[in-house]
Amino acid sequence: MLHNSSRRKFLKQSSCLSLGIMAYPTFASAFNADKYDDLIIGHNSHQYKVNMKWGNLDPLKTPVQDCHEMVQDSKGRIVLLTNHTKNNVIIYDKSGKLLETWGTEYPGAHGLTLVKENGADFLLITDYERHQIIKTTIDGKVIFELDYPADTGNYTNKEEYKPTETTVLENGDFYVADGYGNQYITHYNHKGDILNSFGGKGTDDGQFLNAHGICLDDRDAKSQSLLISAREMNILKRFSLEGKFIESINVPGALICRPVIHKKEIYFAVLKSKESPNADSGFLLIMNEKNEVVSCPGATAPSYKNNELNELYQTIRLFQYPHDVCIDEDENVYVAQWNSGQTYPIKLTRV
C-alpha cells in the first residue's frame, strides 16, 4: 500500500510523464499488486483508488482466461465473461465475493450485453469461434442461437463472421458488430429476423477497421443513435439507428474497445496505446456529453490544441490489455482484461 506521500509523488510523476519528461516504469515493477493497490489514478473529477485484489479467486477452482466483458444485472451483481470453458460466466457481488458460475461451451466468448425483458434479465453473448450470437437467461439457459447472417450477402461462409459485440433497443431490436470478421453491423428484430446491415471493412466514413464495440446512445431520448468503435482507426463513429453515418470522434493514440454509457458520460477500456513501445500499454478513457475526453486513468492527462485532442499514451504500467469496463451506481469502475496472464478484474473506487 502506498502512503499519501507516495501517492502525491506518483501524481507528480504522472504529470511529468504527460509532458514526456520521464521514461516508462520497468517491466519488473509493472504488475505488482501491493505496489499499486490504493493508488489514485485519473484526472479532473474522475479519479479512482485502485484495488488490485477485488474478485481474486482460486484459479484451480474458478479459472479465467481472457476476461472480455462485464455487466451489472438488475440485482446489482457483477457478471464477468471469460473464454475459459470451465466457467465462461462468473457472477460476483459488488464486494468481489463469488456467487455462482456457469458456461462450458463458449470458447470464443467475447461480447456480453444485458437485456431486460418483462422484469427479467437475459444476456446476449457473442462467440467469435462459434460464429454465433447466443441469448441466455441470467443463469445460463439458452434461449436462441443465431448463426452468421448469410441472407445479407456480406458473407460467403461462417468463418468470415466473427462477432464481437451487440446492443439492444427498447423494442427488442438488436445490432451485432462483426469486429473480427468482415466488419459489418447487422440489425435484427427481437425474433432474430434481419432488418438491415451496413458498414464493412474500409476507411471511408461509413466503414470500419475493427468494429470492435457498439452501444445505443440514448442520452438524448429524442435523438437516439449508435456509437461504434473503429478500434484500429482510433475513432469512435456515430450512426443513426438506420445505419447512416453521422460523425467521427477522434481519440488519437487510443485503441478503444466498446463504448459504455453511464449517465451522461461514455467510458472505454483502451486496449493499448498506438505508439507505445510496450504492447501491453492500455488505460481507461472517459468522455463527457460534448465528446470531450475528461479523464484517462493510467494515461496522460487529456489536453486539446486548436480543439484537437493531443495523442494519448499510457504513463503507468498498471493495466494489461484492458478490454471492458462496468460502472456501478456508486460510480466505481470494474476493469476486465484480455491476455493479462489469467488475472481477475481490477476495481477502481471513485474518490
Side-chain angles (χ1 to χ4, degrees), residues 182-351:
N182 287 0
Q183 310 295 310
Y184 286 95
I185 311 299
T186 307
H187 179 190
Y188 296 87
N189 66 16
H190 71 281
K191 297 182 293 185
D193 300 323
I194 295 173
L195 301 178
N196 186 26
S197 69
F198 60 94
K201 187 175 183 178
T203 57
D204 290 344
D205 284 344
Q207 296 178 312
F208 306 95
L209 296 180
N210 193 194
H212 188 270
I214 183 171
C215 80
L216 172 69
D217 187 352
D218 58 359
R219 292 173 294 177
D220 183 350
K222 296 180 180 179
S223 182
Q224 296 187 358
S225 59
L226 300 170
L227 292 174
I228 305 170
S229 54
R231 192 167 71 181
E232 293 298 325
M233 303 168 77
N234 305 149
I235 294 174
L236 178 66
K237 297 192 176 191
R238 186 185 303 278
F239 288 79
S240 71
L241 299 185
E242 294 73 36
K244 301 298 183 182
F245 172 80
I246 298 173
E247 66 173 334
S248 285
I249 304 162
N250 294 317
V251 281
L255 276 73
I256 52 173
C257 296
R258 75 160 162 179
V260 177
I261 291 179
H262 178 75
K263 295 183 178 178
K264 294 296 184 180
E265 293 150 330
I266 316 171
Y267 293 70
F268 303 85
V270 176
L271 188 74
K272 58 182 180 179
S273 311
K274 186 175 183 179
E275 301 299 336
S276 171
N278 305 310
D280 52 345
S281 56
F283 52 92
L284 306 187
L285 186 152
I286 302 165
M287 189 180 291
N288 67 16
E289 67 273 19
K290 298 178 181 179
N291 301 329
E292 299 167 336
V293 179
V294 295
S295 183
C296 292
T300 49
S303 62
Y304 286 81
K305 184 177 182 180
N306 299 325
N307 294 320
E308 296 291 332
L309 180 65
N310 290 319
E311 183 165 344
L312 302 167
Y313 57 89
Q314 184 192 70
T315 54
I316 179 170
R317 298 191 64 198
L318 169 64
F319 297 112
Q320 297 174 269
Y321 300 109
H323 194 274
D324 191 36
V325 292
C326 174
I327 302 92
D328 69 20
E329 64 275 15
D330 298 318
E331 310 294 324
N332 304 315
V333 179
Y334 306 82
V335 185
Q337 301 191 118
W338 168 79
N339 193 28
S340 61
Q342 302 180 6
T343 61
Y344 297 91
I346 297 171
K347 181 179 180 179
L348 304 180
T349 302
R350 184 81 176 263
V351 296

